[in-house]
mmCIF file of all heavy atoms in Angstrom:
data_model
loop_
_atom_site.group_PDB
_atom_site.id
_atom_site.type_symbol
_atom_site.label_atom_id
_atom_site.label_comp_id
_atom_site.label_asym_id
_atom_site.label_seq_id
_atom_site.Cartn_x
_atom_site.Cartn_y
_atom_site.Cartn_z
ATOM 1 N N GLN M 1 -14.527 -30.955 -23.463
ATOM 2 C CA GLN M 1 -14.151 -29.538 -23.475
ATOM 3 C C GLN M 1 -13.674 -29.091 -22.103
ATOM 4 O O GLN M 1 -12.685 -28.363 -21.968
ATOM 5 C CB GLN M 1 -15.337 -28.686 -23.936
ATOM 6 C CG GLN M 1 -15.686 -28.877 -25.401
ATOM 7 C CD GLN M 1 -17.050 -28.309 -25.771
ATOM 8 O OE1 GLN M 1 -17.655 -27.581 -24.986
ATOM 9 N NE2 GLN M 1 -17.539 -28.645 -26.960
ATOM 10 N N ALA M 2 -14.379 -29.536 -21.043
ATOM 11 C CA ALA M 2 -13.992 -29.161 -19.680
ATOM 12 C C ALA M 2 -12.597 -29.682 -19.346
ATOM 13 O O ALA M 2 -11.852 -29.060 -18.595
ATOM 14 C CB ALA M 2 -15.013 -29.696 -18.672
ATOM 15 N N ALA M 3 -12.266 -30.847 -19.916
ATOM 16 C CA ALA M 3 -10.948 -31.434 -19.664
ATOM 17 C C ALA M 3 -9.868 -30.776 -20.510
ATOM 18 O O ALA M 3 -8.676 -31.007 -20.299
ATOM 19 C CB ALA M 3 -10.986 -32.934 -19.949
ATOM 20 N N GLY M 4 -10.283 -29.945 -21.484
ATOM 21 C CA GLY M 4 -9.310 -29.341 -22.386
ATOM 22 C C GLY M 4 -8.576 -30.368 -23.201
ATOM 23 O O GLY M 4 -7.418 -30.198 -23.564
ATOM 24 N N ALA M 5 -9.279 -31.470 -23.481
ATOM 25 C CA ALA M 5 -8.638 -32.603 -24.156
ATOM 26 C C ALA M 5 -9.209 -32.783 -25.550
ATOM 27 O O ALA M 5 -10.366 -32.447 -25.818
ATOM 28 C CB ALA M 5 -8.853 -33.881 -23.347
ATOM 29 N N LYS M 6 -8.376 -33.332 -26.426
ATOM 30 C CA LYS M 6 -8.849 -33.671 -27.766
ATOM 31 C C LYS M 6 -9.843 -34.823 -27.659
ATOM 32 O O LYS M 6 -9.549 -35.857 -27.056
ATOM 33 C CB LYS M 6 -7.674 -34.076 -28.635
ATOM 34 C CG LYS M 6 -8.036 -34.299 -30.096
ATOM 35 C CD LYS M 6 -6.769 -34.406 -30.923
ATOM 36 C CE LYS M 6 -7.120 -34.483 -32.405
ATOM 37 N NZ LYS M 6 -7.364 -35.817 -32.871
ATOM 38 N N ALA M 7 -11.020 -34.651 -28.217
ATOM 39 C CA ALA M 7 -12.052 -35.674 -28.093
ATOM 40 C C ALA M 7 -11.675 -36.913 -28.894
ATOM 41 O O ALA M 7 -11.444 -36.821 -30.104
ATOM 42 C CB ALA M 7 -13.392 -35.125 -28.581
ATOM 43 N N PRO M 8 -11.621 -38.088 -28.239
ATOM 44 C CA PRO M 8 -11.308 -39.319 -28.970
ATOM 45 C C PRO M 8 -12.470 -39.779 -29.839
ATOM 46 O O PRO M 8 -12.297 -40.565 -30.751
ATOM 47 C CB PRO M 8 -11.022 -40.333 -27.856
ATOM 48 C CG PRO M 8 -11.767 -39.803 -26.674
ATOM 49 C CD PRO M 8 -11.792 -38.315 -26.801
ATOM 50 N N PHE M 9 -13.673 -39.311 -29.508
ATOM 51 C CA PHE M 9 -14.870 -39.579 -30.312
ATOM 52 C C PHE M 9 -15.882 -38.510 -29.950
ATOM 53 O O PHE M 9 -15.709 -37.771 -28.973
ATOM 54 C CB PHE M 9 -15.438 -40.980 -30.038
ATOM 55 C CG PHE M 9 -15.541 -41.321 -28.576
ATOM 56 C CD1 PHE M 9 -16.505 -40.735 -27.757
ATOM 57 C CD2 PHE M 9 -14.663 -42.238 -28.005
ATOM 58 C CE1 PHE M 9 -16.584 -41.048 -26.415
ATOM 59 C CE2 PHE M 9 -14.736 -42.554 -26.661
ATOM 60 C CZ PHE M 9 -15.701 -41.956 -25.864
ATOM 61 N N SER M 10 -16.899 -38.379 -30.739
ATOM 62 C CA SER M 10 -17.961 -37.432 -30.400
ATOM 63 C C SER M 10 -19.293 -38.160 -30.418
ATOM 64 O O SER M 10 -19.416 -39.274 -30.929
ATOM 65 C CB SER M 10 -17.980 -36.254 -31.376
ATOM 66 O OG SER M 10 -18.257 -36.694 -32.684
ATOM 67 N N VAL M 11 -20.273 -37.516 -29.814
ATOM 68 C CA VAL M 11 -21.587 -38.120 -29.649
ATOM 69 C C VAL M 11 -22.623 -37.270 -30.360
ATOM 70 O O VAL M 11 -22.637 -36.040 -30.224
ATOM 71 C CB VAL M 11 -21.928 -38.232 -28.133
ATOM 72 C CG1 VAL M 11 -23.385 -38.606 -27.934
ATOM 73 C CG2 VAL M 11 -21.025 -39.258 -27.468
ATOM 74 N N ARG M 12 -23.461 -37.936 -31.143
ATOM 75 C CA ARG M 12 -24.607 -37.245 -31.744
ATOM 76 C C ARG M 12 -25.881 -37.693 -31.071
ATOM 77 O O ARG M 12 -25.977 -38.822 -30.585
ATOM 78 C CB ARG M 12 -24.668 -37.547 -33.248
ATOM 79 C CG ARG M 12 -23.758 -36.610 -34.037
ATOM 80 C CD ARG M 12 -23.721 -36.961 -35.491
ATOM 81 N NE ARG M 12 -25.005 -36.932 -36.149
ATOM 82 C CZ ARG M 12 -25.186 -37.344 -37.412
ATOM 83 N NH1 ARG M 12 -24.165 -37.804 -38.096
ATOM 84 N NH2 ARG M 12 -26.371 -37.287 -37.967
ATOM 85 N N MET M 13 -26.843 -36.793 -31.055
ATOM 86 C CA MET M 13 -28.096 -37.069 -30.358
ATOM 87 C C MET M 13 -29.191 -37.471 -31.340
ATOM 88 O O MET M 13 -29.395 -36.808 -32.354
ATOM 89 C CB MET M 13 -28.557 -35.830 -29.578
ATOM 90 C CG MET M 13 -27.609 -35.404 -28.490
ATOM 91 S SD MET M 13 -28.230 -33.959 -27.591
ATOM 92 C CE MET M 13 -28.049 -32.667 -28.813
ATOM 93 N N SER M 14 -29.873 -38.550 -30.999
ATOM 94 C CA SER M 14 -31.041 -38.984 -31.752
ATOM 95 C C SER M 14 -32.229 -38.974 -30.801
ATOM 96 O O SER M 14 -32.171 -39.555 -29.713
ATOM 97 C CB SER M 14 -30.808 -40.389 -32.301
ATOM 98 O OG SER M 14 -32.030 -40.982 -32.704
ATOM 99 N N LYS M 15 -33.295 -38.307 -31.215
ATOM 100 C CA LYS M 15 -34.476 -38.206 -30.351
ATOM 101 C C LYS M 15 -35.419 -39.376 -30.598
ATOM 102 O O LYS M 15 -35.756 -39.689 -31.739
ATOM 103 C CB LYS M 15 -35.217 -36.887 -30.601
ATOM 104 C CG LYS M 15 -36.410 -36.698 -29.653
ATOM 105 C CD LYS M 15 -37.081 -35.341 -29.802
ATOM 106 C CE LYS M 15 -37.874 -35.210 -31.071
ATOM 107 N NZ LYS M 15 -38.800 -34.055 -31.057
ATOM 108 N N GLY M 16 -35.813 -40.008 -29.502
ATOM 109 C CA GLY M 16 -36.797 -41.079 -29.560
ATOM 110 C C GLY M 16 -38.041 -40.692 -28.772
ATOM 111 O O GLY M 16 -37.958 -40.435 -27.573
ATOM 112 N N VAL M 17 -39.171 -40.633 -29.441
ATOM 113 C CA VAL M 17 -40.435 -40.208 -28.814
ATOM 114 C C VAL M 17 -41.338 -41.410 -28.599
ATOM 115 O O VAL M 17 -41.406 -42.310 -29.451
ATOM 116 C CB VAL M 17 -41.142 -39.160 -29.697
ATOM 117 C CG1 VAL M 17 -42.550 -38.852 -29.176
ATOM 118 C CG2 VAL M 17 -40.320 -37.882 -29.766
ATOM 119 N N HIS M 18 -42.023 -41.436 -27.458
ATOM 120 C CA HIS M 18 -43.002 -42.480 -27.142
ATOM 121 C C HIS M 18 -44.297 -41.823 -26.685
ATOM 122 O O HIS M 18 -44.276 -40.755 -26.068
ATOM 123 C CB HIS M 18 -42.495 -43.387 -26.029
ATOM 124 C CG HIS M 18 -41.242 -44.132 -26.365
ATOM 125 N ND1 HIS M 18 -39.992 -43.557 -26.301
ATOM 126 C CD2 HIS M 18 -41.048 -45.411 -26.788
ATOM 127 C CE1 HIS M 18 -39.082 -44.444 -26.668
ATOM 128 N NE2 HIS M 18 -39.690 -45.579 -26.958
ATOM 129 N N LEU M 19 -45.403 -42.471 -26.971
ATOM 130 C CA LEU M 19 -46.691 -42.004 -26.452
ATOM 131 C C LEU M 19 -47.381 -43.164 -25.749
ATOM 132 O O LEU M 19 -47.090 -44.339 -26.006
ATOM 133 C CB LEU M 19 -47.561 -41.419 -27.567
ATOM 134 C CG LEU M 19 -47.945 -42.310 -28.757
ATOM 135 C CD1 LEU M 19 -49.189 -43.122 -28.461
ATOM 136 C CD2 LEU M 19 -48.185 -41.440 -29.991
ATOM 137 N N LEU M 20 -48.297 -42.828 -24.829
ATOM 138 C CA LEU M 20 -49.063 -43.827 -24.097
ATOM 139 C C LEU M 20 -50.540 -43.645 -24.383
ATOM 140 O O LEU M 20 -51.051 -42.515 -24.346
ATOM 141 C CB LEU M 20 -48.832 -43.722 -22.584
ATOM 142 C CG LEU M 20 -47.544 -44.361 -22.051
ATOM 143 C CD1 LEU M 20 -46.348 -43.441 -22.302
ATOM 144 C CD2 LEU M 20 -47.658 -44.646 -20.552
ATOM 145 N N VAL M 21 -51.223 -44.756 -24.690
ATOM 146 C CA VAL M 21 -52.679 -44.745 -24.883
ATOM 147 C C VAL M 21 -53.277 -45.808 -23.957
ATOM 148 O O VAL M 21 -52.600 -46.757 -23.569
ATOM 149 C CB VAL M 21 -53.070 -45.018 -26.354
ATOM 150 C CG1 VAL M 21 -52.469 -43.970 -27.284
ATOM 151 C CG2 VAL M 21 -52.647 -46.424 -26.778
ATOM 152 N N PRO M 22 -54.560 -45.659 -23.578
ATOM 153 C CA PRO M 22 -55.182 -46.641 -22.685
ATOM 154 C C PRO M 22 -55.166 -48.046 -23.285
ATOM 155 O O PRO M 22 -55.324 -48.229 -24.495
ATOM 156 C CB PRO M 22 -56.618 -46.120 -22.527
ATOM 157 C CG PRO M 22 -56.554 -44.679 -22.879
ATOM 158 C CD PRO M 22 -55.476 -44.550 -23.907
ATOM 159 N N ARG M 23 -54.994 -49.035 -22.430
ATOM 160 C CA ARG M 23 -54.914 -50.435 -22.856
ATOM 161 C C ARG M 23 -56.172 -50.841 -23.638
ATOM 162 O O ARG M 23 -56.110 -51.621 -24.593
ATOM 163 C CB ARG M 23 -54.742 -51.314 -21.612
ATOM 164 C CG ARG M 23 -54.290 -52.738 -21.865
ATOM 165 C CD ARG M 23 -52.828 -52.822 -22.293
ATOM 166 N NE ARG M 23 -52.384 -54.203 -22.418
ATOM 167 C CZ ARG M 23 -51.730 -54.861 -21.462
ATOM 168 N NH1 ARG M 23 -51.429 -54.262 -20.325
ATOM 169 N NH2 ARG M 23 -51.365 -56.106 -21.662
ATOM 170 N N ALA M 24 -57.325 -50.301 -23.233
ATOM 171 C CA ALA M 24 -58.590 -50.694 -23.856
ATOM 172 C C ALA M 24 -58.704 -50.231 -25.312
ATOM 173 O O ALA M 24 -59.551 -50.747 -26.056
ATOM 174 C CB ALA M 24 -59.757 -50.137 -23.042
ATOM 175 N N ARG M 25 -57.858 -49.274 -25.732
ATOM 176 C CA ARG M 25 -57.989 -48.738 -27.093
ATOM 177 C C ARG M 25 -57.437 -49.689 -28.157
ATOM 178 O O ARG M 25 -57.754 -49.552 -29.343
ATOM 179 C CB ARG M 25 -57.280 -47.389 -27.195
ATOM 180 C CG ARG M 25 -58.090 -46.248 -26.666
ATOM 181 C CD ARG M 25 -59.364 -45.997 -27.470
ATOM 182 N NE ARG M 25 -59.100 -45.382 -28.765
ATOM 183 C CZ ARG M 25 -59.268 -45.959 -29.934
ATOM 184 N NH1 ARG M 25 -59.683 -47.216 -30.027
ATOM 185 N NH2 ARG M 25 -59.032 -45.301 -31.049
ATOM 186 N N ILE M 26 -56.575 -50.651 -27.768
ATOM 187 C CA ILE M 26 -56.050 -51.614 -28.738
ATOM 188 C C ILE M 26 -56.232 -53.010 -28.151
ATOM 189 O O ILE M 26 -55.719 -53.301 -27.070
ATOM 190 C CB ILE M 26 -54.551 -51.371 -29.033
ATOM 191 C CG1 ILE M 26 -54.300 -49.918 -29.459
ATOM 192 C CG2 ILE M 26 -54.065 -52.318 -30.117
ATOM 193 C CD1 ILE M 26 -52.820 -49.587 -29.666
ATOM 194 N N ARG M 27 -56.962 -53.850 -28.860
ATOM 195 C CA ARG M 27 -57.191 -55.222 -28.376
ATOM 196 C C ARG M 27 -56.065 -56.120 -28.883
ATOM 197 O O ARG M 27 -56.016 -56.519 -30.034
ATOM 198 C CB ARG M 27 -58.560 -55.721 -28.840
ATOM 199 C CG ARG M 27 -59.727 -54.996 -28.179
ATOM 200 C CD ARG M 27 -61.049 -55.417 -28.776
ATOM 201 N NE ARG M 27 -61.289 -56.858 -28.607
ATOM 202 C CZ ARG M 27 -61.985 -57.598 -29.469
ATOM 203 N NH1 ARG M 27 -62.477 -57.043 -30.578
ATOM 204 N NH2 ARG M 27 -62.174 -58.891 -29.229
#
C-alpha cells in the first residue's frame, strides 16, 4: 500500500501459541 503498487500476492496471518511448563512436570 505504501508503494502504491498492485500487490503481487497477499499475506494471511496464522497465530501460533506456545506455553512453557517446568521440566519436572513431564518425565
Side-chain angles (χ1 to χ4, degrees):
Q1 291 166 12
K6 186 168 186 272
F9 46 72
S10 63
V11 169
R12 276 175 59 187
M13 297 181 289
S14 164
K15 184 175 72 165
V17 172
H18 298 80
L19 59 86
L20 280 79
V21 301
R23 195 72 175 263
R25 279 295 286 112
I26 306 176
R27 292 174 60 211

